[in-house]
Amino acid sequence: MLDFRIETFLEVCKDMNFTKAAKRLNLTQPAVSQHVKWLEEKYQARLFDMQGKKVCLTPAGEMLKNSSATMQHDISFLKEKMQETSSKKREIKMGLTLTIAEFEMADHISRLLYREPEMSMTISVENTNGLLQKLEGGIIDFALVEGNFPGTIYHHELYSKQRYIAVCSPRESLAHGTYTISQLLDHRLILREAGSGTRNIMEHYLEMKGLSVDDFSSRIETGNIGLIKKLVINGCGISFLYQTAVRKELEEGSLCEIALSDMEITHDFNFIWRENSIFSEDYRKFFKILKAQ
């Protein structure tokens, strides 16, 4: 069990607010401050600094937060593992980003569950940012993500590499010929919501070109990939998606890849969990089983 003062510290880290942490913990604010002070004296390092009116973690505070969050999750996972020994039921808590959940994993998970009928699963499907928050909070044990993540905090194993492409309706002139990214700016851009891995890849690429999503004539944002594809098929604009998400439509001819001379992006889909977890080998074994499906 974590020291109760560590739990107080982690509660403050959630929104960098001592008052809100005290309210959630049913403590006074001086008591929360005293817990943090005790930790600072124990580790002989400041954990928080003030930048103007904003509370921020120091580098030492970041280290304690990351290590403590991993330990907190391991304690929770250990309890579940111990309970499994008596019930003989295996439960997996994993996260998947939307593209991976809908277009990559359904058949693989089905085969796994067929092989292991006693296994129970809780599968969270969210964008990359949402899954990172659930990993930090110990709500899920590991995740398969398409977006970027801090490599110093999360251990990662490569699941696959996927092409990232531009698509349009076959009725669009862009379905024929070769273009540059700048020649697409007169079109409406239909894209995922902020925080999604698919969107992050697009924004990073545009930034390297000195551009942003605001440079397109107009844009539509939605968290639903099916809606994005339907709008593009209907000629409402263009989009950038992983090839796996539009493979069926490309084969059927309802969508066309836009040939771009200045864009060739291949991005990793990664299986991630908290770095230095004592259960890393368990997660690695599950990853190998899942990948083998």
Side-chain angles (χ1 to χ4, degrees), residues 20 76 79 116 210 280:
K20 291 181 179 179
S76 176
K79 180 181 178 181
E116 300 195 32
S280 289

Side-chain angles (χ1 to χ4, degrees), residues 115-132:
R115 285 180 50 192
E116 300 195 32
E118 296 300 316
M119 179 182 288
S120 297
M121 275 190 176
T122 299
I123 305 174
S124 298
V125 180
E126 292 189 32
N127 64 35
T128 300
N129 282 356
L131 293 181
L132 293 180

